[in-house]
Amino acid sequence: MSKKNRKTSPSILSLTVPAALLVALGVTLSAKLGLFDPVGPVSGLEVKGPETVVIGPRQMRYRAEGHFLKRGLAVDAPLVDAALRAPFAITKYQVSRGEYRRCVEDGACEAPEAGDGGEDVPVTGVNYSDAENYAKWLTAQTGEVWRLPTDEQWAFAAGSKFPDDALGIDAESDNPALRWLADYEREASRQKSPDPRPQPRGTFGENEYGVADVGGNVWEWTRTCHRRVTIGDRGEVLKEQPACGIYVVDGKHRASMSFFIREPKSGGCAVGVPPDNLGFRLVRDDRWYARLLYAFERRREGAV
């Protein structure tokens, strides 16, 4: 054995053994504290989760979320470069009335306020809290960790159907009337769906990744907080004010809704034409530490 090998082997061993001991200690303590308990299936038999589509790693340029101000005037949000480094699974369809009804029957979800149609129609008339409660219930039922997508994840999954809400006004313009007129024309051109009633899942087709009904007449809750961002002359962020309690909903266009709103036409939309309906789909958290992270979050919420 060479001198180089004799020096390297103890170094690797000295790093591997403590790491293995730390992992084992963490798992043991987590089990003793019951941190894994909230994730396990309620019935003791894991239920199969909903059909998903895997969104693979890639790069994307899309319009950032938020209300952006420059010199006190509203401007288009900047285009940002985002990189998806690891794949994620998102439900192929929006959560249906039938799927949601089972959560209601278990006492884990509140009944939706609105929505007509059969079991395979997307559930609507649900707010952010309703969607979160369903995700927790599904996590308990399947033993897999389910969450609402972030706005960025939704954008990656939407692909070519992701909307760009830019008005195209010169950022250097100090004439607020130009933006007001452009905003008015855009909102006037956004017509409500001829039939805003939720349609059976799959009605609006699939995008290039196999995700169904993106851009249909049901907008979807995300777990991304709306924000107000002040930028400088070079586009640098001077101040950012998140407004958690108001969440981004994605669909034909972006909107921002208060967490308690179930019926978008009743209010809560930041600006513009309100969504036709509010529903949601979920992503599955497949990270190796997802269960442990979820259990810590649940304990912090006082659920255990």
Side-chain angles (χ1 to χ4, degrees):
M1 182 180 291
S2 67
K3 290 182 179 180
K4 182 178 180 181
N5 286 338
R6 284 198 299 269
K7 289 180 180 179
T8 304
S9 297
S11 175
I12 296 174
L13 188 62
S14 65
L15 292 174
T16 304
V17 172
L21 289 174
L22 284 174
V23 171
L25 179 61
V27 172
T28 302
L29 288 175
S30 299
K32 287 183 177 295
L33 291 172
L35 293 179
F36 293 117
D37 293 344
V39 188
V42 173
S43 64
L45 295 174
E46 291 193 4
V47 178
K48 185 179 179 181
E51 183 179 358
T52 59
V53 172
V54 175
I55 307 300
R58 72 177 194 278
Q59 292 186 328
M60 175 186 65
R61 201 162 206 233
Y62 78 115
R63 191 73 55 181
E65 190 286 324
H67 181 58
F68 283 76
L69 298 168
K70 181 178 179 181
R71 301 186 208 132
L73 299 175
V75 295
D76 286 338
L79 286 168
V80 295
D81 294 313
L84 179 61
R85 304 191 183 281
F88 69 91
I90 188 168
T91 52
K92 181 179 180 70
Y93 302 101
Q94 295 154 340
V95 174
S96 71
R97 288 176 57 84
E99 290 169 334
Y100 189 83
R101 175 180 53 77
R102 290 190 283 275
C103 181
V104 175
E105 291 173 348
D106 275 357
C109 294
E110 291 189 24
E113 280 193 3
D116 300 319
E119 297 284 272
D120 196 44
V121 168
V123 65
T124 57
V126 289
N127 60 29
Y128 178 85
S129 298
D130 296 326
E132 282 279 277
N133 288 335
Y134 180 85
K136 293 172 185 175
W137 173 83
L138 186 62
T139 295
Q141 289 291 314
T142 63
E144 302 166 331
V145 178
W146 295 90
R147 302 179 185 277
L148 285 172
T150 63
D151 175 71
E152 184 177 285
Q153 286 176 321
W154 200 94
F156 272 112
S160 60
K161 289 184 176 290
F162 190 75
D164 185 350
D165 292 331
L167 292 175
I169 302 298
D170 184 359
E172 300 304 317
S173 173
D174 291 327
N175 185 353
L178 291 177
R179 186 167 186 87
W180 185 89
L181 288 171
D183 192 52
Y184 176 82
E185 290 177 359
R186 179 185 65 183
E187 297 308 319
S189 68
R190 283 178 176 169
Q191 299 180 359
K192 294 182 180 179
S193 302
D195 185 358
R197 292 176 301 177
Q199 303 298 312
R201 297 191 300 181
T203 297
F204 298 96
E206 300 177 7
N207 69 0
E208 65 268 35
Y209 304 117
V211 183
D213 302 322
V214 177
N217 63 7
V218 176
W219 274 245
E220 302 175 23
W221 287 102
T222 76
R223 56 191 172 100
T224 296
C225 297
H226 180 66
R227 58 182 179 154
R228 183 183 179 93
V229 185
T230 300
I231 60 175
D233 290 337
R234 296 186 301 275
E236 72 277 16
V237 175
L238 302 178
K239 184 169 62 173
E240 181 175 332
Q241 296 174 297
C244 283
I246 300 175
Y247 292 91
V248 178
V249 294
D250 285 317
K252 291 179 183 177
H253 63 267
R254 273 195 184 119
S256 301
M257 307 295 295
S258 298
F259 74 96
F260 57 85
I261 295 294
R262 289 191 173 97
E263 174 48 64
K265 300 177 188 63
S266 68
C269 189
V271 291
V273 177
D276 293 319
N277 305 283
L278 289 176
F280 63 100
R281 74 179 78 219
L282 300 173
V283 298
R284 190 180 63 224
D285 192 342
D286 291 329
R287 293 174 295 180
W288 66 268
Y289 55 87
R291 291 192 179 201
L292 185 60
L293 177 62
Y294 178 81
F296 271 116
E297 291 171 350
R298 296 287 280 150
R299 287 184 71 85
R300 190 175 63 245
E301 294 170 1
V304 179

